[in-house]
Amino acid sequence: MKKQKILFVVFSLVSSQFLVAQGSPDYNGGLKIKFDENGKKYLRVISWAQVQASYNNHAPATSSRTSFNLRRARIMMFSQITDKFLILTHFGLNSLEAGSLSPTGNGDGSQLFLHDAWVQYNLSDEHSVGAGLHYFNGISRLNNQSTLNMMTLDNNRQSWATIGLSDQFARHVGLFVKGKLGQLQYRIAINDAITNGLDIRPAVSGQTVYGGVNLLGTKDAGKTFAGYFEYNFLEQESNFLPFKVGTYLGEKKVFNIGAGFFLHPNGSVKIESGNSVGEDVSIFAIDAFYDTPLGADGSALTAYATYQSNDYGENYLYSAYGTGNMVYAHIGYVFAGDSTKTRLQPYLSYGRNSYDASTNNRNILGIGINAFMSGHNSKLTLEYQNQDYGTSTSAVTLQAMIYL
């Protein structure tokens, strides 16, 4: 009997207080392996995959207009043997498609890599300190967005404002402090900047590049600083993990206002009189998030808006990044219905990005609909997106997602 009891405790599937699936009638916290009676010693495992089929109306003449993409395939584990400390590991791959596949599966594009790995010590019930490869980012809610429960097909790209420039896939190696003071939640981090970032352009006259660490050295340009603060006016959101929920499908009544920053002293470089001169990178944002049920019939509303000021240095412009301003918003409505059956959520998103170095604005419009067959744990998303940046391009994408 004692052996059976131990096996039941260790391998039972139990409800998790940390990652409750939004809107799912079938998912009860997933796999949490308990090592004691009260659940303070445990291992939690999560797995998810997102697969896409896209039609691009503006593909090159020699390219197919349809394509398939394994957008994300991930595994996350976190564990503790006391409630004083925790370890989290997260690995997987992104955007595996015809161009990144390799004949024997050993190419760079088809490899799993480490997304997160950090240790965390709880100073009290409300405050924690940790270190490692982490996702406790600053700037905005979308710069801390979970990929498990986004409302739109994908995150607003320009909100991940440092990805690949100062970090590895939106993660830095460093130290973080997080917690809450009453209804105010906070996260603050000091990190090392990546030395081999995406912007490998040479520093030449008239061109600012994000290469301060390489060109000026780690003494002057090696550290970044980030923070995000949000006030929870209604129900309190969990801050156990850094990943922000995209839509609760009306399961919570949430209204938050937030503000955040990212600072990288001498992160960028320009040439003046033949010398490399550091330019401070500073990004600031304010945002608001609202999610509420609209009645007892299952209908719900989700809305989000943000303004972001981007300063990567004088007239900086590279790929999705540029010195200037961004305004972004999205809104979605869940139709009334039985949560045990498929529920529909049409949505609309719009982003406007202006750049000091260009007369063209980048305008991105998204129109989509989610079909939740088991909340976020099993859903289909169909989205039309149009991007106007000098020229207009559009695509239609269907995504299937399951997470357990």
Side-chain angles (χ1 to χ4, degrees), residues 33-229:
I33 305 171
K34 295 171 64 177
F35 300 112
D36 65 356
E37 293 282 1
N38 59 21
K40 289 187 176 181
K41 300 179 182 181
Y42 65 86
L43 170 65
R44 176 80 163 85
V45 182
I46 306 168
S47 175
W48 68 102
Q50 298 166 345
V51 184
Q52 297 179 347
S54 296
Y55 176 83
N56 185 350
N57 194 41
H58 298 85
T62 57
S63 299
S64 173
R65 292 187 175 185
T66 59
S67 61
F68 300 98
N69 177 25
L70 178 57
R71 181 65 183 91
R72 293 180 180 91
R74 309 275 190 86
I75 295 176
M76 180 188 292
M77 302 177 291
F78 54 92
S79 180
Q80 65 178 38
I81 56 172
T82 83
D83 56 5
K84 294 296 183 184
F85 56 85
L86 175 138
I87 180 171
L88 182 143
T89 305
H90 173 197
F91 58 91
L93 56 72
N94 303 279
S95 299
L96 184 65
E97 40 83 34
S100 56
L101 287 167
S102 58
T104 57
N106 59 3
D108 291 341
S110 53
Q111 296 303 297
L112 300 180
F113 70 92
L114 198 62
H115 284 72
D116 300 283
W118 74 76
V119 293
Q120 178 180 304
Y121 297 87
N122 298 324
L123 305 175
S124 68
D125 290 341
E126 307 294 348
H127 308 281
S128 304
V129 61
L133 180 64
H134 69 87
Y135 193 64
F136 287 92
N137 296 326
I139 305 177
S140 72
R141 185 182 187 92
L142 292 190
N143 198 41
N144 298 271
Q145 172 69 56
S146 168
T147 60
L148 286 174
N149 45 44
M150 293 180 288
M151 189 191 74
T152 53
L153 176 74
D154 214 318
N155 200 33
N156 178 50
R157 177 61 184 85
Q158 281 67 33
S159 291
W160 273 321
T162 63
I163 191 168
L165 294 179
S166 70
D167 60 41
Q168 175 178 281
F169 219 80
R171 279 81 174 174
H172 287 91
V173 172
L175 175 72
F176 65 85
V177 179
K178 61 101 173 181
K180 57 182 179 178
L181 300 165
Q183 292 172 268
L184 177 69
Q185 295 188 7
Y186 70 88
R187 58 184 68 190
I188 302 170
I190 176 172
N191 307 298
D192 280 338
I194 192 172
T195 59
N196 56 340
L198 286 176
D199 192 352
I200 57 174
R201 298 173 299 169
V204 296
S205 180
Q207 178 175 276
T208 301
V209 299
Y210 204 127
V213 178
N214 285 326
L215 298 175
L216 304 176
T218 57
K219 180 179 178 180
D220 291 331
K223 292 292 185 288
T224 70
F225 307 87
Y228 181 64
F229 310 85

Side-chain angles (χ1 to χ4, degrees), residues 203 205 270-277:
S205 180
K270 66 179 180 179
I271 300 297
E272 287 186 352
S273 302
N275 299 315
S276 296
V277 178

